[in-house]
């Protein structure tokens, strides 16, 4: 804590470090300047010594020097000003000539001319503005034949900007080094719990470097034109009909998908929590399947079934002029893959509504329909809206499905991808991704301000064990019929993918083959291995980081906690395309050159999956009595030991599910990483996309099936591990 | 007294919290200043929200004082984290490690200290024997009763041989019978080990029966420090008097001193009291404090205040008579009801004082 002695010691240490820091970096700058100056001087001397004494030869020499040393300003003076009566100027560089005319009498020029008259070269100590660049001037004499007298002078402008940029880099490095030292040393000196301090600093560092900084870069780019502030990018984006069409397309698709998904999700949730139909467990498992299945897989099977050469459309029905590509097909695929989100949200909501309320209504002689209308629906309404909003934002951010299935229909996520990779217009790409954020943010604030206020569900407390049956036999039959229909459709979609593995040429030749498997695995092996490696590296990092973050958020008090939480949670809310674009912008140049490495993919996975792990960790940790950790501390354990021996074992379920979630989501990522992959670090999902684009549906099916198997295996393993740890720890009950 | 016992001293310790709703500063503990002698068991007593637990948590290192110093055994520990000080806490909710067995729970502190295996086993066994749980060493905490969990928590704290034992309402989660047993047990163990102990409770009976000294707190302020009998017999305020036992107050004016007794006037009648709180001067408006056992009932007109018996509560060894008077409902305790007269409900009676036991307290509501 802040005692006088500590503050004095701290300031003294800072002063010592600052002195060392400044000395080191100025020495570095000095030696760099010296080497750079030396090489430039050699170059200039070489140029000058080749200068001819004869006037006729000068233009040719200037030309030659210009081609061999491009970008170097040259001025040839025949005769020394102030010494020789006649001085002729031969300049290649207008700006340099102008500078000479203006400053010929200045002390720097006088010294240079004087040195030349003594047959010496002179490098100006000050730098001059030559046209757009800062440059130092080298004055070199031109000798006569006997090399004993100067007949003229060559002035070479040496670009200073390299030195300046190096000096700038060195300065910023010196400042960063000092700031890091001051922070770390400050924590070590003043904090009674340095480890927590370091964890906070580290997490802030990660959030700043890999969330705030890239997003800032992306935002900055949309407000720049030729290095200056300008609104022209936004003017262009908002004035472009094609882009606005894409925005409208995204919103329209989002609304359709959200509405369909909410309806289907509600029917499923109602069936599970308010009726007595059988097979609820199976239904739940089936309904959650699409949410964990890899991207492209459902689109792929929709194309296989309903595409231009689809099994249903061509082979069975032989439809003409039917196209699955566009809004219809997209909303179908998105609904199938996103209604589980609505289902999970709404079954949570329905289960939390106390059934005694409905029983009270039935008891007061209301009919089942009346009870549903007057009690169940109003209570579930905020849940319905929040499910709708959740699906809406997911639909907007969706990239994989439109990429394959949009056809000529425009959506923002794909549009921004095309801008960046196809047209190389990074600024427009980021602007479009940011535009995509607007509906998402609106949805988020509606959720925050309206839904959370109107939610009655929390009032009830413990859910009652028994749920009331609100469906009459007829309704139940209709509901069951509908649900079976949807379920059969989902199952047949997955069946199609598996079938696709064994068909020679889907749409044309339906004969059985095993050759797809071999070819797909050979060609996809590298991508599969690198995806597994990268996801495997990202998983433990994300798991540990998210648990540490959860401990900090729940258990520690520190300034800036809300900011840190917001920063860590941000990647969850922003579309993957924006993350991808901003990473390209931020990390494709020194000092942080990461584009093309595996590291950038790992970082991207970690940062994107951290929010989910954090949420899980926070929820679990909130249920654990803080005095357990306090007891450990009291018994002599330091923060690291507490984390290892108490916290981690207690939040093991959250830890495991965070890790498996990260692994699966990393394996199945598309939107952000499609910008970041390289030849060395390829990604399995992109491989599937490429196979599909090239109409190699058999190969795409094999890889999709492989991915599905991996995902299911990981989730199975997770459930096994979590169940084990649940058995292990029945927390000590507090009466 | 144990050689290892150390004193604990709090010097003007203040803890200020920010009220999350009103954004104003609230002093949870205000200039707490007291010293605990080596081997002494001191109780922090007060209603909930009085700052007693915050005070304990500051001694344990879980909260940082806003101002002031905490000294344990001559060492300033104010800013040391919990793992840096020689205190051990028994938590209200026990804080047992649910993923570890009873043995491993108790061994935790020793493992952190890297105690050699053989000694570790010996010490854990010893601690478990001390609390009588030797045969349950292999169980998971979730399969223990509340009282057993309580004992594990105690053993776990004691096994690391702390210099100061801190107990935060350790018995509040137990049922009444178990609470009495554990009370005796804690007192026995604390005295056997001679360990300095701070005990937080809102239960006055617990505080009275356990402590060498009691510190009564209200709204973050220490109201009185003293032995249980002093706190009970000679409280210095209405609050302390009321908080540590049943009591009746009579509004009086202190008139003066007469032969070692303090003479008050109660609605014009002269009353003599042997005790007086130092804050009261002659001529002050004051309260006369009377515990149920310092009151007697007699025929109407004989005593200082007349009233009607509204209820009699039979408690076996005594009877509590509630008497409605102009000073409110007054509780009178009649010991040995078999031998003494119990006035039936509805009868007119008069209350008189046992001069030696009643005390003059300062006026005002507090």
């Amino acid at each position: 804590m802040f005692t006088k002695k500590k503050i004095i010691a701290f300031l003294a240490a800072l002063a010592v470090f600052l002195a060392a820091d400044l000395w080191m970096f100025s020495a570095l700058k000095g030696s760099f300047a010296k080497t750079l100056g030396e090489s430039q001087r050699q170059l200039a001397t070489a140029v000058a010594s080749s200068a001819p004494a004869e006037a006729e030869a000068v233009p040719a020499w200037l030309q030659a020097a210009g081609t061999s040393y491009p970008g170097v300003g040259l001025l040839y003076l025949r005769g020394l000003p102030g010494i020789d009566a006649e001085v002729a100027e031969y300049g290649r560089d207008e700006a340099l000539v102008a500078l000479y005319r203006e400053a010929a009498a200045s002390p720097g020029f006088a010294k240079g001319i004087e040195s030349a008259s003594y047959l010496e070269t002179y490098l100006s100590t000050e730098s001059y503005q030559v046209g757009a660049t800062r440059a130092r001037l080298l004055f070199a004499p031109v000798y006569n034949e006997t090399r004993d007298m100067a007949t003229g002078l060559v002035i070479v402008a040496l670009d200073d900007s390299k030195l300046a940029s190096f000096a700038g880099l060195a300065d910023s490095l010196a400042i960063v080094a000092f700031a890091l030292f001051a922070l770390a040393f400050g924590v070590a000196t003043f904090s009674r719990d340095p480890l927590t301090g370091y964890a906070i600093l580290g997490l802030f560092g990660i959030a700043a470097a890999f969330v705030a900084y890239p997003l800032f870069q992306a935002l900055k780019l949309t407000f720049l034109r030729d290095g200056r502030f300008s609104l022209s990018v936004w003017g262009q984006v908002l004035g472009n009909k094609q882009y606005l069409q894409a925005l409208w397309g995204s919103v329209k698709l989002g609304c359709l998908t959200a509405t369909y998904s909410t309806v289907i999700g509600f029917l499923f949730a109602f069936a599970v929590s308010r009726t007595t139909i059988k097979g609820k467990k199976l239904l739940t498992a089936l309904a959650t399947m699409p949410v964990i299945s890899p991207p492209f897989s459902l689109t792929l099977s929709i194309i296989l079934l309903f595409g231009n050469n689809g099994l249903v459309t061509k082979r069975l029905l032989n439809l003409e002029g039917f196209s699955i590509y566009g809004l219809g097909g997209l909303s179908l695929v998105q609904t199938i893959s996103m209604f589980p989100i609505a289902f999970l949200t709404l079954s949570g909501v329905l289960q939390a509504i106390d059934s005694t309320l409905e029983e009270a209504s039935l008891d007061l002689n209301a009919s089942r329909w009346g009870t549903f209308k007057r009690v169940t629906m109003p209570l579930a309404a905020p849940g319905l809206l929040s499910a709708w909003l959740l699906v809406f934002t997911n639909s907007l951010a969706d990239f994989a499905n439109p990429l394959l299935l949009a056809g000529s229909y425009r959506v923002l996520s794909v549009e921004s991808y095309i801008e960046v990779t196809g047209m190389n217009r990074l600024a427009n790409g980021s602007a479009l991704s940011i535009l995509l954020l607007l509906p998402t943010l609106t949805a988020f604030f509606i959720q925050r301000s309206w839904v959370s206020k109107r939610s009655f569900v929390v009032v009830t407390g413990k859910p009652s064990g028994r749920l009331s049956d609100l469906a009459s036999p007829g309704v139940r039959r209709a509901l069951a019929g509908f649900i079976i229909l949807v379920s059969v459709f989902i199952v047949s979609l997955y069946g199609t993918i598996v079938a696709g593995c064994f068909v020679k040429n889907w749409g044309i030749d339906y004969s059985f083959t095993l050759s797809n498997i071999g070819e797909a695995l050979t060609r996809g092996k590298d991508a599969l291995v690198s995806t597994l490696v990268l996801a495997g590296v990202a998983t433990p990092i994300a798991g540990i980081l998210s648990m540490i973050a959860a401990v900090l958020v729940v258990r520690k008090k520190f300034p800036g906690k809300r900011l840190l939480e917001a920063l860590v949670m941000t990647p969850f809310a922003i579309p993957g395309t924006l993350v991808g674009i901003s990473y390209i912008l931020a990390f494709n140049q020194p000092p942080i050159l990461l584009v093309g490495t595996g590291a950038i993919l790992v970082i991207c996975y970690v940062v994107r999956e951290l929010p989910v792990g954090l949420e899980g960790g926070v929820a679990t940790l909130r249920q654990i009595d803080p005095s357990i950790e306090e007891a450990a501390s009291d018994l002599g354990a330091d923060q690291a030991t507490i984390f290892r021996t108490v916290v981690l074992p207690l939040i093991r379920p959250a830890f495991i599910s965070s890790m498996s979630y990260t692994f699966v989501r990393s394996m199945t990522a598309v939107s952000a990483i499609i910008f970041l992959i390289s030849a060395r670090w390829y990604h399995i999902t992109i491989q599937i996309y490429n196979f599909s684009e090239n109409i190699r549906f058999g190969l795409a099916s094999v890889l999709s099936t492989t991915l599905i198997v991996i995902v299911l295996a990981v989730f199975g393993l997770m459930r096994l591990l979590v169940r084990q740890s649940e058995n292990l720890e029945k927390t000590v009950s507090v009466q | 007294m144990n050689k290892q016992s150390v004193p604990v001293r709090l010097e003007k310790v203040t803890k200020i919290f920010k009220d999350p709703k009103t954004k104003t500063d609230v002093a949870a503990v205000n200039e707490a200043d007291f010293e605990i002698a080596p081997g002494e068991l001191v109780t922090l007593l007060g209603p909930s929200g009085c700052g007693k637990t915050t005070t304990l948590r500051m001694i344990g290192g879980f909260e940082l004082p806003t101002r002031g110093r905490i000294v344990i055994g001559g060492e300033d520990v104010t800013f040391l984290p919990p793992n840096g000080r020689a205190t051990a806490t028994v938590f209200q909710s026990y804080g047992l490690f649910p993923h570890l067995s009873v043995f491993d729970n108790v061994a935790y502190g020793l493992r952190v200290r890297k105690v050699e295996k053989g000694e570790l086993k010996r010490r854990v066994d010893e601690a478990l024997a001390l609390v009588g749980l030797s045969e349950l060493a292999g169980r998971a905490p979730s399969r223990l009763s509340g009282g057993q969990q309580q004992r594990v928590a105690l053993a776990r704290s004691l096994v690391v041989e702390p210099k100061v034992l801190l107990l935060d309402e350790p018995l509040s989660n137990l049922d009444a019978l178990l609470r009495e047993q554990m009370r005796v047990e804690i007192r026995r163990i604390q005295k056997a080990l001679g360990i300095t102990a701070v005990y937080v409770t809102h239960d006055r009976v617990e505080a009275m029966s356990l402590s060498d000294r009691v510190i009564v707190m209200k709204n973050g302020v220490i109201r009185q420090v003293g032995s249980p009998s002093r706190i009970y017999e000679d409280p210095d305020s209405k609050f302390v008097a009321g908080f540590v036992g049943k009591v009746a107050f009579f509004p009086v004016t202190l008139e003066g001193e007469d032969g070692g007794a303090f003479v008050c006037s109660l609605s014009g009648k002269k009353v003599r009291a042997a005790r007086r709180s130092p804050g009261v001067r002659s001529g002050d408006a004051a309260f006369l404090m009377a515990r149920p056992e310092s009151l007697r009932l007699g025929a109407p007109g004989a005593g200082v205040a007349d009233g009607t018996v509204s209820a009699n509560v039979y408690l076996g060894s005594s009877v509590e008579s509630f008497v409605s008077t102009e000073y409110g409902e007054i509780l009178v305790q009649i010991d040995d009801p078999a031998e003494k007269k119990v006035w039936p409900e509805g009868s007119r009676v008069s209350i008189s004082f046992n001069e030696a036991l009643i005390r003059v307290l300062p006026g005002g509501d507090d």
Side-chain angles (χ1 to χ4, degrees):
Chain A
M1 280 298 119
F2 296 94
T3 55
K4 213 182 201 171
K5 217 165 95 188
K6 278 189 176 175
I7 291 174
I8 291 170
F10 177 67
L11 290 179
L14 277 198
V16 170
F17 185 84
L18 184 65
D21 191 45
L22 288 180
W23 175 76
M24 198 172 79
F25 278 95
S26 69
L28 211 61
K29 267 194 298 196
S31 69
F32 182 78
K34 211 168 147 192
T35 1
L36 190 70
E38 203 54 49
S39 72
Q40 283 184 332
R41 187 196 285 259
Q42 272 169 17
L43 171 77
T45 315
V47 173
S49 64
S50 71
E54 304 79 27
E56 312 81 66
V58 170
W61 169 78
L62 268 181
Q63 186 103 43
T67 43
S68 34
Y69 309 106
V72 177
L74 274 180
L75 174 64
Y76 184 104
L77 299 177
R78 197 157 180 283
L80 295 177
I83 296 167
D84 293 313
E86 209 175 292
V87 178
E89 296 164 7
Y90 302 89
R92 191 167 56 109
D93 190 350
E94 296 282 321
L96 189 55
V97 176
L99 176 71
Y100 165 69
R101 287 197 182 129
E102 193 182 300
S106 72
F109 273 72
K111 187 121 190 260
I113 293 163
E114 196 192 342
S115 302
S117 72
Y118 296 125
L119 302 179
E120 278 167 11
T121 55
Y122 168 72
L123 181 65
S124 70
T125 45
E126 56 187 311
S127 57
Y128 296 88
Q129 188 71 37
V130 183
T133 54
R134 295 292 293 177
R136 288 197 295 167
L137 302 179
L138 186 100
F139 297 83
V142 178
Y143 305 100
N144 61 356
E145 282 100 30
T146 49
R147 299 186 67 83
D148 56 2
M149 210 182 95
T151 61
L153 170 69
V154 173
I155 303 179
V156 186
L158 298 172
D159 190 353
D160 230 10
S161 63
K162 228 187 226 168
L163 191 64
S165 78
F166 179 81
L169 187 67
D171 286 343
S172 52
L173 275 179
I175 292 169
V176 166
F178 180 70
L180 280 181
F181 175 80
L183 280 173
F185 193 65
V187 165
T189 313
F190 296 119
S191 174
R192 61 205 290 260
D193 181 5
L195 201 74
T196 304
Y198 291 136
I200 293 166
L201 281 184
L203 217 58
F204 257 119
I206 290 170
F210 299 117
V211 179
Y213 172 68
L215 287 177
F216 171 72
Q217 287 288 330
L219 194 64
K220 194 176 90 180
L221 190 71
T222 64
F223 286 107
L224 286 182
R225 172 122 304 177
D226 302 328
R228 294 212 168 85
F229 175 80
S230 150
L231 288 173
S232 66
V233 171
W234 282 103
Q236 203 181 335
V237 165
L238 294 175
N240 185 321
K241 212 174 146 209
Q242 185 182 322
Y243 294 154
L244 291 180
Q245 221 175 19
L247 173 63
W248 175 232
S250 278
V251 171
K252 201 158 69 176
L253 174 63
C255 288
L256 277 181
T257 302
T259 309
Y260 297 155
S261 300
T262 309
V263 170
I264 298 179
F266 183 77
L267 291 177
F268 269 67
F270 185 80
V272 168
S273 61
R274 285 294 185 278
T275 66
T276 52
I277 61 166
K278 294 192 181 76
K280 285 181 182 176
K281 267 198 176 155
L282 183 73
L283 195 64
T284 310
L286 194 69
T288 40
M289 194 47 204
V291 84
I292 60 165
S293 80
F296 302 123
S297 49
L298 290 176
T299 319
L300 186 63
S301 67
I302 290 280
I303 292 175
L304 291 178
L305 289 175
F306 306 108
N308 296 342
N309 279 320
L311 181 66
V312 176
T313 40
K314 187 74 180 261
R315 179 85 166 212
L316 299 180
L317 301 176
N318 203 11
L319 291 174
E320 286 296 326
F322 174 84
S323 172
I324 192 71
Y325 297 92
L327 184 60
L330 266 179
S331 53
L332 174 66
V333 170
Q334 284 198 340
T335 303
I336 296 293
S337 35
M338 291 173 194
F339 91 87
I341 301 173
F343 166 65
L344 291 176
T345 310
L346 289 169
S347 56
V349 169
L350 285 180
Q351 263 154 33
I353 294 175
D354 192 345
S355 269
T356 43
L357 297 176
E358 285 153 354
E359 275 157 18
S361 165
L362 291 170
D363 194 46
L364 293 166
N365 282 343
S367 65
R368 284 192 203 151
W369 169 243
T371 299
F372 176 75
K373 206 173 61 179
R374 298 213 182 81
V375 179
T376 314
M377 275 309 269
L379 286 173
L384 281 171
L385 182 64
S386 86
W388 193 93
L389 291 171
L390 207 56
V391 176
F392 178 72
T393 49
N394 263 285
S395 160
L396 286 198
D398 183 21
F399 170 73
N401 292 319
L403 192 61
L404 269 185
L405 209 59
S408 59
Y409 189 77
R410 290 179 188 285
V411 295
L412 270 182
S413 53
V414 174
E415 205 69 17
S416 59
Y417 168 69
I418 293 169
E419 283 299 313
V420 171
T421 50
M423 317 284 186
N424 211 13
R425 289 194 291 238
L426 277 154
N428 288 14
S430 3
L432 290 178
S433 305
I434 292 169
L435 209 56
L436 194 53
L437 206 52
L438 287 183
T440 311
L441 280 179
T442 316
F444 175 75
F445 282 113
I446 294 175
Q447 165 82 30
R448 260 276 166 97
S449 60
W450 194 79
V451 178
S452 52
K453 260 182 220 146
R454 305 244 350 192
S455 182
F456 309 107
V457 172
V458 269
V459 183
T460 53
K462 280 184 196 162
S464 61
R466 207 169 48 81
L467 294 166
S468 48
D469 183 7
L470 277 186
S472 64
V475 170
R476 197 181 312 145
R477 266 197 293 278
L479 202 57
F482 175 76
I483 284 168
I484 288 168
L485 206 69
V486 174
S487 307
V488 165
F489 187 59
I490 293 174
V491 170
S492 63
L493 287 182
Y494 287 102
T496 307
I497 303 174
V498 178
C501 302
F502 303 103
V503 168
K504 199 167 239 169
N505 196 345
W506 193 280
I508 295 152
D509 180 1
Y510 282 100
S511 54
F512 178 84
T513 176
L514 287 173
S515 63
N516 285 332
I517 298 174
E519 189 184 347
L521 292 182
T522 326
R523 289 178 58 183
K525 200 188 94 198
D526 286 348
L528 189 61
V529 168
S530 78
T531 310
L532 279 170
V533 166
L534 294 176
V537 172
T539 298
I541 299 176
I544 296 275
L545 269 184
S546 59
M547 294 306 115
I548 291 175
V551 171
L552 294 182
V553 166
V554 178
R555 294 286 197 250
K556 307 289 176 189
K557 281 182 253 172
F558 56 92
K561 186 157 111 173
R562 297 288 285 276
L563 177 70
L564 183 64
E565 209 182 338
L567 276 179
V568 173
M569 292 305 290
T570 301
F572 186 67
I574 59 178
T577 41
L578 181 55
V579 176
I581 293 173
S582 64
Y583 270 42
I584 304 187
L585 288 171
F587 304 123
N588 70 343
Q589 61 201 8
I592 329 180
L593 179 62
L594 290 174
V595 171
T597 63
I600 196 168
L601 290 170
V602 170
I603 292 168
C604 181
Y605 298 151
V606 170
V607 166
R608 291 210 73 199
E609 307 317 331
L610 210 49
V612 178
L614 174 63
E615 287 279 273
V618 165
T620 314
L621 210 53
R622 287 232 162 96
Q623 289 173 3
I624 294 170
D625 185 358
S627 54
I628 295 174
E629 287 144 70
E630 285 176 357
S633 168
D634 197 46
L635 292 167
D638 56 31
Q639 293 299 315
T641 312
I642 296 173
F643 186 75
R644 195 167 44 80
T645 59
V646 179
V647 176
L648 221 43
L650 290 185
I651 57 177
R652 213 176 89 131
F655 182 51
I656 292 170
S657 58
S658 149
M659 291 214 292
S660 62
Y661 188 80
T662 304
F663 186 79
V664 166
R665 292 263 302 176
S666 304
M667 291 288 296
T668 58
V670 180
S671 56
I673 57 102
I674 199 168
F675 295 94
L676 305 174
I677 49 163
S678 51
R680 169 70 188 86
W681 296 105
Y682 213 64
H683 206 275
I684 183 80
T685 52
I686 312 300
Q687 187 80 52
I688 296 176
Y689 168 62
N690 286 339
F691 282 149
S692 311
E693 277 289 273
N694 299 329
I695 331 201
R696 298 301 303 271
F697 291 129
L699 305 184
S701 298
V702 174
L703 289 189
S704 286
T705 311
T706 314
L707 209 45
I708 291 173
V709 169
I710 293 175
V711 166
L712 287 180
V714 169
F715 270 103
L717 192 68
M718 174 198 92
R719 292 202 70 155
L720 209 69
L721 286 172
V722 169
R723 194 169 308 153
Q724 250 175 25
S725 56
E726 269 167 359
N727 289 341
L728 193 76
E729 51 191 64
K730 298 249 160 56
T731 36
V732 182
S733 58
V734 177
Q735 293 94 329
Chain B
M1 192 176 70
N2 190 310
K3 263 190 295 193
Q4 284 219 316
S5 302
V6 296
V8 175
R9 196 167 73 242
L10 271 72
E11 296 174 5
K12 301 206 162 178
V13 170
T14 298
K15 176 72 187 180
I16 290 171
F17 282 118
K18 197 147 239 141
D19 190 304
K21 275 182 208 138
T22 58
K23 303 271 175 210
T24 49
D25 286 342
V26 180
V29 177
N30 203 346
E31 307 232 320
D33 202 299
F34 58 86
E35 175 149 4
I36 302 167
E40 192 183 21
L41 194 158
V42 167
T43 300
L44 297 171
L45 176 69
S48 57
C50 72
K52 55 191 191 303
T53 295
T54 306
T55 307
L56 189 85
R57 288 174 62 81
M58 286 192 286
I59 301 174
F62 304 111
E63 304 277 356
L64 214 55
T66 313
R67 283 192 294 277
R69 261 166 36 106
I70 297 170
V71 182
I72 296 178
E75 185 198 3
D76 183 345
V77 300
T78 315
F79 300 118
L80 287 181
N83 53 330
R85 35 182 108 183
T87 57
T89 309
V90 177
F91 294 89
Q92 183 171 13
S93 55
Y94 317 140
L96 296 182
F97 307 123
H99 58 301
L100 300 180
S101 69
V102 167
F103 184 93
D104 290 332
N105 260 282
V106 177
Y108 188 89
L110 298 177
R111 292 222 165 97
V112 169
R113 286 172 173 72
K114 308 239 181 320
V115 170
E116 175 270 324
K117 225 173 175 185
E119 200 202 332
L120 179 136
K121 171 133 181 39
R122 185 184 61 73
R123 280 170 69 178
V124 172
D125 287 344
E126 211 176 272
L128 285 174
L130 186 69
V131 296
L133 282 181
S134 298
E135 65 280 14
L136 296 179
R139 280 225 190 146
S142 55
R143 295 184 51 235
L144 296 180
S145 71
Q148 289 166 334
Q149 291 183 12
Q150 170 67 68
R151 284 161 205 256
V152 176
L154 189 62
R156 187 179 65 175
S157 295
L158 291 173
V159 78
V160 297
E161 293 174 355
K163 298 206 169 114
V164 181
L165 184 65
L166 306 174
L167 302 112
D168 183 7
E169 308 217 15
L171 307 181
S172 62
N173 289 328
L174 302 181
D175 60 50
L177 198 66
L178 210 52
R179 198 145 61 208
E180 255 168 67
Q181 272 177 21
M182 279 308 290
R183 208 151 68 199
V184 177
E185 192 122 340
I186 287 175
R187 173 84 184 167
R188 173 183 68 78
I189 292 171
Q190 186 263 337
K191 284 298 157 202
L193 300 176
I195 188 171
T196 311
V198 186
Y199 190 105
V200 161
T201 181
H202 62 264
D203 182 337
R204 63 191 167 85
V205 180
E206 214 167 284
M208 300 302 220
S209 55
L210 265 174
S211 334
D212 296 316
R213 273 192 306 155
V214 179
I215 296 175
V216 186
M217 294 181 76
K218 187 191 179 189
N219 293 338
V221 179
I222 292 179
R223 298 301 299 269
Q224 195 166 354
V225 183
S227 66
S229 63
R230 249 205 79 93
I231 294 278
Y232 185 78
E233 289 162 15
D234 295 323
D236 283 330
S237 60
K238 251 180 107 176
F239 167 74
V240 173
F243 197 79
V244 300
K246 293 170 180 168
V247 71
F249 298 109
F250 300 88
V252 295
T253 313
L254 181 59
E255 296 194 326
E257 231 174 303
D258 175 28
F262 301 95
V263 182
C264 304
S265 89
L266 172 63
S267 306
K269 286 181 189 144
K270 292 271 178 286
V271 181
R272 293 169 64 88
R275 300 155 187 262
R276 182 198 60 164
S277 181
V280 196
R281 303 246 164 71
S282 291
D284 283 357
F287 281 108
L288 200 60
M289 171 208 114
R291 299 274 181 210
E293 61 272 20
S294 62
L295 297 173
R296 278 188 297 266
L297 295 182
V304 282
D306 285 0
T308 314
V309 177
S310 59
N312 280 323
V313 178
Y314 179 71
L315 294 172
S317 60
S318 65
V319 167
E320 291 186 339
S321 287
F322 290 86
V323 182
S324 309
T325 70
E326 56 182 304
Y327 308 109
E329 189 130 274
I330 308 287
L331 174 59
V332 180
Q333 181 180 324
I334 301 161
D335 295 325
D336 306 323
E339 303 196 351
K340 287 190 188 140
K341 175 166 185 183
V342 177
W343 296 75
E345 289 175 11
S347 47
R348 289 290 292 173
V349 291
S350 158
I351 295 172
S352 56
F353 297 121
N354 177 350
E355 189 184 311
L357 295 179
I358 56 176
R359 180 171 169 89
V360 186
L361 298 182
D365 275 344
D366 219 17

